[in-house]
Amino acid sequence: MHVAMFQEVFAYNNWANKQLLQTLAPVNDTQLHTDIHNGIGSIHTTLVHMFSGIWIWRTRWQGGMPDTMLQPQDFPTLEAIQERWETEEHLMHNFLATLHDEDLLREIRYIGTMVPGKIFTLPKWKTMLHLTNHLTQHRSEIAMNLTELGYSPGELGMNVFFNR
């Protein structure tokens, strides 16, 4: 296991997330809050779910045990979402800078959010891969909806990031 690889994957996720957030500038409140029918709700709900995932996993990796996600109603505007997202990305960057290769193999215990009260144990590296994959899934859902609205975020693949 190599921390540098995870740092690069998270750098890609940060880049792709920023590309997506920039594309949202012309989206109005109605479009932001309309159920997109291909994910977990509206673009707004999906965005909060995404940075909530960043928050909850970083907190778990640092020894915390949060058992609920952040709530969409606590971030009513795109500006509120972007402000919290920037904070979470900064905290994640700082966390990743402290990791060592051997840390990736350490198991973490966490309380699941899908099955309340159930405790899971996995190596840190598996949960880190889960988060990056999960973010890709939700970026794709939002990108599909944005494209239908005429605001495609363009290519968000890793190859574009690696060759920029």
Side-chain angles (χ1 to χ4, degrees):
M1 292 289 131
H2 298 285
V3 167
M5 180 186 73
F6 283 92
Q7 290 169 334
E8 186 74 4
V9 169
F10 275 85
Y12 156 72
N13 266 282
N14 189 30
W15 170 83
N17 291 339
K18 283 182 180 175
Q19 298 296 115
L20 189 71
L21 289 169
Q22 289 172 0
T23 305
L24 289 165
V27 172
N28 64 44
D29 275 352
T30 300
Q31 293 167 325
L32 192 65
H33 289 91
T34 299
D35 190 339
I36 60 178
H37 301 293
N38 65 349
I40 59 172
S42 67
I43 292 173
H44 175 265
T45 298
T46 306
L47 290 169
V48 174
H49 179 78
M50 289 172 71
F51 74 75
S52 184
I54 295 168
W55 164 76
I56 204 167
W57 283 108
R58 179 192 48 79
T59 301
R60 288 169 174 169
W61 299 331
Q62 293 178 310
M65 283 286 251
D67 60 355
T68 59
M69 301 288 276
L70 301 173
Q71 298 303 308
Q73 63 269 20
D74 294 333
F75 305 91
T77 65
L78 188 54
E79 292 76 25
I81 289 170
Q82 289 174 318
E83 184 177 309
R84 179 61 185 262
W85 201 310
E86 286 177 24
T87 298
E88 292 307 326
E89 290 287 358
H90 177 74
L91 292 169
M92 180 63 78
H93 176 78
N94 289 346
F95 164 73
L96 292 168
T98 69
L99 277 180
H100 300 283
D101 289 347
E102 60 272 12
D103 296 330
L104 297 172
L105 299 173
R106 291 200 176 94
E107 291 194 338
I108 65 162
R109 290 174 41 89
Y110 62 95
I111 300 169
T113 57
M114 302 300 285
V115 182
K118 184 168 181 170
I119 296 178
F120 298 89
T121 303
L122 284 172
K124 190 176 288 183
W125 73 267
K126 286 186 179 182
T127 62
M128 293 175 79
L129 281 180
H130 160 70
L131 176 60
T132 60
N133 183 64
H134 194 69
L135 292 171
T136 297
Q137 173 190 342
H138 290 307
R139 271 194 309 271
S140 297
E141 293 165 351
I142 292 172
M144 185 172 75
N145 187 251
L146 287 172
T147 300
E148 289 173 2
L149 293 171
Y151 307 118
S152 174
E155 176 60 48
L156 297 176
M158 280 185 155
N159 201 42
V160 174
F161 170 75
F162 292 144
N163 289 299
R164 71 187 195 294

